Amino acid sequence: MARRSLAWQALILASLALLGCLLVDTTASRLQERGIRSGFDFLLEPAGFALGESLLPFEASDSTLRAFAAGLLNTLRVALPGAVLAVLIGVIVGFGRLADNPLVRGLATAFVNGVRNVPLLLHLLAWYFILTDLLPAADAALPLAPGVFLSKSGLALPWWGEAGWEVPVPAGFGIDGGARLTPEYLAMLIGLSLYAAAYIAETLRGAVQALPPGQRLSALALGMTPRQAFTLVLLPQAWRAALPPVTSQLLNLFKNASLAVAIGYPDLVSVAGTSLNQTGRAIECLAVVIAVYLLLSLLAAALSHGLERRSLRGMPA
């Protein structure tokens, strides 16, 4: 039976590969008949456009492939910290949803219901409006901490620069020194992390409430506080059941980062759209984006399966 199953899987994969080759060949033939250039040679040609911000040094004369790499780094730059913040906030809000204090429980419930019932795009646009229209200008930046300033220009932070450790200071009409987090980046980070955190909180709440009630009562009887009972007894057990849906939410966070084009953050999809307008290679640009997101999703799924197997190791069958 195992050999027959493997044979069927191999046959299905071969059929899909053949179908894909026929589709690519047919598409290339039709494009050639209409005089439309095709192929991925444009990736090595100069991009012809600049990026508003990038971790990877990039100029308009650099290749389009480097532009895609810069866009990918921008996507990871907002998605990875967003995933960490989403899990942390989700755990805190999930604990709040189960708290004995009615005020804490009500605030956590209001957060979850308020965030989940508004589309993510509206969240991003709202945060972008708050950061760019309601905050003061750079010459009147809000001091959040020593060397940390928030204004319409973004968030200024101490950072290690070419001259050593740089601390932002007000100077003239702006802030000098340190590093800058742009309003576009901050809107994406806040919007993505809070949106995913609301779903993660509900997932953890459901997983905790699915546990036998005696678990919490036993922990409290041993002298633990409600917080200790949640973090030391309930959360580790609930996390095993919540891991697959939490991973799905984090995957959605990565894919939802493609909405960055709506507020002007130069992520992978934004770079692909600009490259499409520059070169006219719609199929190729879309293929690159699809391949990258598919690869990221497969890597995240493999990591999730590894964590799930590790969390189940040693448990009774």
Side-chain angles (χ1 to χ4, degrees):
M1 293 295 295
R3 292 182 179 179
R4 182 177 298 179
S5 177
L6 290 175
W8 274 109
Q9 292 179 10
L11 180 60
I12 293 173
L13 290 176
S15 301
L16 291 176
L18 179 60
L19 181 62
C21 292
L22 290 175
L23 180 61
V24 171
D25 182 68
T26 302
T27 303
S29 300
R30 296 295 181 269
L31 292 175
Q32 188 174 6
E33 290 175 1
R34 299 187 180 188
I36 301 176
R37 293 179 59 192
S38 61
F40 292 90
D41 55 304
F42 75 99
L43 292 175
L44 302 180
E45 298 175 356
F49 59 88
L51 299 179
E53 58 180 299
S54 174
L55 289 177
L56 182 68
F58 179 78
E59 298 179 356
S61 57
D62 292 330
S63 67
T64 306
L65 181 61
R66 188 176 180 87
F68 274 98
L72 175 59
L73 285 179
N74 281 345
T75 297
L76 296 176
R77 177 186 174 219
V78 72
L80 292 176
V84 174
L85 286 176
V87 172
L88 293 177
I89 297 172
V91 171
I92 294 173
V93 175
F95 173 72
R97 291 276 280 133
L98 300 170
D100 297 327
N101 188 313
L103 177 60
V104 174
R105 189 170 60 252
L107 291 175
T109 302
F111 169 82
V112 170
N113 293 333
V115 171
R116 293 174 67 194
N117 292 306
V118 177
L120 175 58
L121 181 58
L122 294 183
H123 279 286
L124 299 178
L125 294 175
W127 282 110
Y128 185 66
F129 170 76
I130 292 172
L131 292 170
T132 56
D133 286 356
L134 301 185
L135 290 179
D139 57 353
L142 298 174
L144 302 182
V148 180
F149 298 91
L150 181 63
S151 66
K152 290 183 178 181
S153 299
L155 184 65
L157 298 168
W159 196 255
W160 186 267
E162 297 180 356
W165 186 253
E166 299 179 358
V167 178
V169 293
F173 296 100
I175 305 294
D176 287 344
R180 300 289 187 281
L181 299 180
T182 64
E184 293 80 9
Y185 175 81
L186 291 175
M188 286 298 301
L189 181 63
I190 297 172
L192 288 175
S193 58
L194 292 181
Y195 192 76
Y199 286 90
I200 292 174
E202 277 297 272
T203 300
L204 290 176
R205 180 194 62 80
V208 169
Q209 289 186 330
L211 296 173
Q215 298 278 348
R216 182 173 183 270
L217 296 177
S218 299
L220 296 177
L222 291 173
M224 291 186 179
T225 64
R227 180 181 302 177
Q228 290 174 331
F230 178 78
T231 57
L232 300 179
V233 178
L234 300 179
L235 184 59
Q237 298 180 72
W239 185 254
R240 298 188 182 98
L243 184 58
V246 167
T247 302
S248 297
Q249 291 302 326
L250 296 181
L251 280 175
N252 287 335
L253 185 150
F254 272 83
K255 291 181 287 186
N256 288 336
S258 59
L259 293 174
V261 66
I263 60 174
Y265 181 70
D267 74 320
L268 179 65
V269 175
S270 177
V271 170
T274 307
S275 300
L276 189 156
N277 293 329
Q278 292 283 103
T279 63
R281 309 289 181 89
I283 296 177
E284 292 81 352
C285 290
L286 291 177
V288 171
V289 174
I290 291 172
V292 170
Y293 274 102
L294 179 60
L295 179 60
L296 291 177
S297 298
L298 291 176
L299 290 175
L303 179 61
S304 171
H305 292 325
L307 292 175
E308 189 175 357
R309 287 194 301 268
R310 183 175 181 180
S311 65
L312 296 176
R313 190 179 305 166
M315 293 186 62

